[in-house]
Amino acid sequence: MAAAALARESNPADPRLIVPLDVPTAEEARALVARIGEAVSFYKVGLELFATDGMALARELKRGGKQVFLDWKLHDIPTTVQRAAAALSGSGCDFLTVHGEPQVMAAAVKGRGASGLKILAVTVLTSLTDQDLTEMGYAEGARALVERRIRQAIAAGCDGVVASPHEAALARTLGGPEFLVVTPGVRPDWSARNDQARASTPAEALNAGASHIVCGRPITAAEDPHAAALRVAAEMAQA
Ligand code: C5P
């Protein structure tokens, strides 16, 4: 049997599937990871866990052979962002998010240096409407600002962006084949929408150009998270 097929057999996880650990404590996160088992190889650790034991948990996941996405959306003066990215680059973690402002993105890329830490830009938070942007002093609406920031992320040397499935095609076109396009807002047909109003299915997101999907509650809130993760991975394989 070929090496790739052997690896798939011993580890059925699709490396393009990222599950967010949106729980308040490291104990709950560990329990969730244990229930999901070998069905998922990539986890997102966000601000909620960051506020408690996030970094310790991230290192633990890395020791356990998982990939780790630090979704901390850094936003500060360049020196601070550069130093934070440099400090995090020693953790062995895989993805780190920063806000999509040119100074911030360039500083993060400089800070991670030659490490394997990939820098992803958050272009425009999906919670912001055109009206919010006007109130904040921006002259253009969300769609135009997303495009501007994707271009600026590429110019700053970022490895990719976080984009809704609806922006994935634009990010793929602008960024080219190697660019990372990580899309939350993914819902299989068989799961509840929750608060994701404009969700796409896993296959739709991948077909639109996503390199990775973030899919949380359809897996984490399922009665059997392991089975739900395998079901999502099977759908991804059909894309
Ligand atoms: O459970 P669900 O699949 O909705 O989780 C999606 C994850 O992606 C959450 O961690 C959420 O914070 C994050 N996210 C999102 N929408 C964005 C950006 C990030 O849902 N626009």
Side-chain angles (χ1 to χ4, degrees), residues 99-115:
H99 277 274
E101 291 178 14
Q103 278 193 347
V104 173
M105 296 188 288
V109 169
K110 202 166 168 189
R112 68 91 191 268
S115 75

PDB file of all heavy atoms in Angstrom, residues 99-115:
ATOM      1  N   HIS A  99      -5.290  41.073  12.606  1.00  0.00           N
ATOM      2  CA  HIS A  99      -6.202  41.949  11.870  1.00  0.00           C
ATOM      3  C   HIS A  99      -5.542  42.395  10.564  1.00  0.00           C
ATOM      4  O   HIS A  99      -4.322  42.580  10.499  1.00  0.00           O
ATOM      5  CB  HIS A  99      -6.618  43.144  12.730  1.00  0.00           C
ATOM      6  CG  HIS A  99      -7.745  42.804  13.650  1.00  0.00           C
ATOM      7  ND1 HIS A  99      -9.056  42.885  13.268  1.00  0.00           N
ATOM      8  CD2 HIS A  99      -7.740  42.323  14.909  1.00  0.00           C
ATOM      9  CE1 HIS A  99      -9.833  42.491  14.256  1.00  0.00           C
ATOM     10  NE2 HIS A  99      -9.056  42.143  15.275  1.00  0.00           N
ATOM     11  N   GLY A 100      -6.370  42.608   9.541  1.00  0.00           N
ATOM     12  CA  GLY A 100      -5.856  42.842   8.202  1.00  0.00           C
ATOM     13  C   GLY A 100      -5.443  44.268   7.911  1.00  0.00           C
ATOM     14  O   GLY A 100      -5.800  44.806   6.862  1.00  0.00           O
ATOM     15  N   GLU A 101      -4.694  44.899   8.795  1.00  0.00           N
ATOM     16  CA  GLU A 101      -4.147  46.229   8.511  1.00  0.00           C
ATOM     17  C   GLU A 101      -2.694  46.067   8.084  1.00  0.00           C
ATOM     18  O   GLU A 101      -1.971  45.243   8.674  1.00  0.00           O
ATOM     19  CB  GLU A 101      -4.251  47.116   9.754  1.00  0.00           C
ATOM     20  CG  GLU A 101      -5.695  47.462  10.063  1.00  0.00           C
ATOM     21  CD  GLU A 101      -5.865  48.306  11.321  1.00  0.00           C
ATOM     22  OE1 GLU A 101      -4.856  48.855  11.808  1.00  0.00           O
ATOM     23  OE2 GLU A 101      -7.003  48.379  11.794  1.00  0.00           O
ATOM     24  N   PRO A 102      -2.261  46.828   7.080  1.00  0.00           N
ATOM     25  CA  PRO A 102      -0.926  46.604   6.510  1.00  0.00           C
ATOM     26  C   PRO A 102       0.212  46.567   7.537  1.00  0.00           C
ATOM     27  O   PRO A 102       1.043  45.659   7.515  1.00  0.00           O
ATOM     28  CB  PRO A 102      -0.772  47.769   5.529  1.00  0.00           C
ATOM     29  CG  PRO A 102      -2.180  48.033   5.077  1.00  0.00           C
ATOM     30  CD  PRO A 102      -3.031  47.822   6.306  1.00  0.00           C
ATOM     31  N   GLN A 103       0.234  47.506   8.474  1.00  0.00           N
ATOM     32  CA  GLN A 103       1.311  47.531   9.482  1.00  0.00           C
ATOM     33  C   GLN A 103       1.313  46.271  10.332  1.00  0.00           C
ATOM     34  O   GLN A 103       2.358  45.698  10.646  1.00  0.00           O
ATOM     35  CB  GLN A 103       1.068  48.696  10.457  1.00  0.00           C
ATOM     36  CG  GLN A 103       1.516  50.040  10.010  1.00  0.00           C
ATOM     37  CD  GLN A 103       1.506  51.031  11.181  1.00  0.00           C
ATOM     38  OE1 GLN A 103       0.947  50.753  12.247  1.00  0.00           O
ATOM     39  NE2 GLN A 103       2.122  52.164  10.977  1.00  0.00           N
ATOM     40  N   VAL A 104       0.120  45.869  10.725  1.00  0.00           N
ATOM     41  CA  VAL A 104      -0.027  44.709  11.613  1.00  0.00           C
ATOM     42  C   VAL A 104       0.403  43.428  10.892  1.00  0.00           C
ATOM     43  O   VAL A 104       1.162  42.607  11.424  1.00  0.00           O
ATOM     44  CB  VAL A 104      -1.499  44.591  12.093  1.00  0.00           C
ATOM     45  CG1 VAL A 104      -1.731  43.318  12.868  1.00  0.00           C
ATOM     46  CG2 VAL A 104      -1.875  45.815  12.930  1.00  0.00           C
ATOM     47  N   MET A 105      -0.057  43.288   9.662  1.00  0.00           N
ATOM     48  CA  MET A 105       0.263  42.073   8.897  1.00  0.00           C
ATOM     49  C   MET A 105       1.766  41.977   8.631  1.00  0.00           C
ATOM     50  O   MET A 105       2.366  40.906   8.817  1.00  0.00           O
ATOM     51  CB  MET A 105      -0.516  42.072   7.573  1.00  0.00           C
ATOM     52  CG  MET A 105      -2.029  42.013   7.767  1.00  0.00           C
ATOM     53  SD  MET A 105      -2.958  41.793   6.239  1.00  0.00           S
ATOM     54  CE  MET A 105      -2.790  43.388   5.446  1.00  0.00           C
ATOM     55  N   ALA A 106       2.381  43.087   8.224  1.00  0.00           N
ATOM     56  CA  ALA A 106       3.814  43.066   7.920  1.00  0.00           C
ATOM     57  C   ALA A 106       4.626  42.741   9.173  1.00  0.00           C
ATOM     58  O   ALA A 106       5.608  41.990   9.126  1.00  0.00           O
ATOM     59  CB  ALA A 106       4.244  44.418   7.339  1.00  0.00           C
ATOM     60  N   ALA A 107       4.201  43.285  10.322  1.00  0.00           N
ATOM     61  CA  ALA A 107       4.925  43.030  11.576  1.00  0.00           C
ATOM     62  C   ALA A 107       4.823  41.559  11.971  1.00  0.00           C
ATOM     63  O   ALA A 107       5.799  40.954  12.430  1.00  0.00           O
ATOM     64  CB  ALA A 107       4.356  43.927  12.677  1.00  0.00           C
ATOM     65  N   ALA A 108       3.646  40.963  11.785  1.00  0.00           N
ATOM     66  CA  ALA A 108       3.468  39.550  12.152  1.00  0.00           C
ATOM     67  C   ALA A 108       4.332  38.655  11.265  1.00  0.00           C
ATOM     68  O   ALA A 108       4.953  37.696  11.740  1.00  0.00           O
ATOM     69  CB  ALA A 108       1.998  39.159  12.032  1.00  0.00           C
ATOM     70  N   VAL A 109       4.384  38.981   9.972  1.00  0.00           N
ATOM     71  CA  VAL A 109       5.198  38.184   9.034  1.00  0.00           C
ATOM     72  C   VAL A 109       6.674  38.290   9.426  1.00  0.00           C
ATOM     73  O   VAL A 109       7.398  37.289   9.436  1.00  0.00           O
ATOM     74  CB  VAL A 109       4.950  38.659   7.584  1.00  0.00           C
ATOM     75  CG1 VAL A 109       5.965  38.045   6.628  1.00  0.00           C
ATOM     76  CG2 VAL A 109       3.526  38.308   7.146  1.00  0.00           C
ATOM     77  N   LYS A 110       7.103  39.491   9.805  1.00  0.00           N
ATOM     78  CA  LYS A 110       8.487  39.681  10.230  1.00  0.00           C
ATOM     79  C   LYS A 110       8.762  38.885  11.510  1.00  0.00           C
ATOM     80  O   LYS A 110       9.782  38.222  11.651  1.00  0.00           O
ATOM     81  CB  LYS A 110       8.703  41.186  10.489  1.00  0.00           C
ATOM     82  CG  LYS A 110      10.129  41.648  10.427  1.00  0.00           C
ATOM     83  CD  LYS A 110      10.139  43.165  10.350  1.00  0.00           C
ATOM     84  CE  LYS A 110      11.520  43.720  10.575  1.00  0.00           C
ATOM     85  NZ  LYS A 110      11.505  45.180  10.710  1.00  0.00           N
ATOM     86  N   GLY A 111       7.818  38.928  12.432  1.00  0.00           N
ATOM     87  CA  GLY A 111       8.002  38.264  13.723  1.00  0.00           C
ATOM     88  C   GLY A 111       8.083  36.756  13.623  1.00  0.00           C
ATOM     89  O   GLY A 111       8.886  36.127  14.310  1.00  0.00           O
ATOM     90  N   ARG A 112       7.286  36.170  12.740  1.00  0.00           N
ATOM     91  CA  ARG A 112       7.335  34.691  12.679  1.00  0.00           C
ATOM     92  C   ARG A 112       8.593  34.200  11.960  1.00  0.00           C
ATOM     93  O   ARG A 112       8.960  33.035  12.060  1.00  0.00           O
ATOM     94  CB  ARG A 112       6.060  34.137  12.046  1.00  0.00           C
ATOM     95  CG  ARG A 112       5.885  34.438  10.591  1.00  0.00           C
ATOM     96  CD  ARG A 112       6.454  33.386   9.679  1.00  0.00           C
ATOM     97  NE  ARG A 112       6.458  33.899   8.319  1.00  0.00           N
ATOM     98  CZ  ARG A 112       5.475  33.728   7.461  1.00  0.00           C
ATOM     99  NH1 ARG A 112       4.447  33.038   7.794  1.00  0.00           N
ATOM    100  NH2 ARG A 112       5.567  34.247   6.269  1.00  0.00           N
ATOM    101  N   GLY A 113       9.273  35.113  11.245  1.00  0.00           N
ATOM    102  CA  GLY A 113      10.564  34.791  10.632  1.00  0.00           C
ATOM    103  C   GLY A 113      10.506  33.539   9.788  1.00  0.00           C
ATOM    104  O   GLY A 113       9.584  33.351   8.987  1.00  0.00           O
ATOM    105  N   ALA A 114      11.485  32.647   9.997  1.00  0.00           N
ATOM    106  CA  ALA A 114      11.586  31.442   9.161  1.00  0.00           C
ATOM    107  C   ALA A 114      10.826  30.267   9.771  1.00  0.00           C
ATOM    108  O   ALA A 114      10.947  29.141   9.294  1.00  0.00           O
ATOM    109  CB  ALA A 114      13.055  31.083   8.985  1.00  0.00           C
ATOM    110  N   SER A 115      10.060  30.517  10.827  1.00  0.00           N
ATOM    111  CA  SER A 115       9.320  29.418  11.476  1.00  0.00           C
ATOM    112  C   SER A 115       8.191  28.932  10.572  1.00  0.00           C
ATOM    113  O   SER A 115       7.872  29.549   9.561  1.00  0.00           O
ATOM    114  CB  SER A 115       8.727  29.898  12.808  1.00  0.00           C
ATOM    115  OG  SER A 115       7.606  30.725  12.550  1.00  0.00           O
TER     116      SER A 115
END
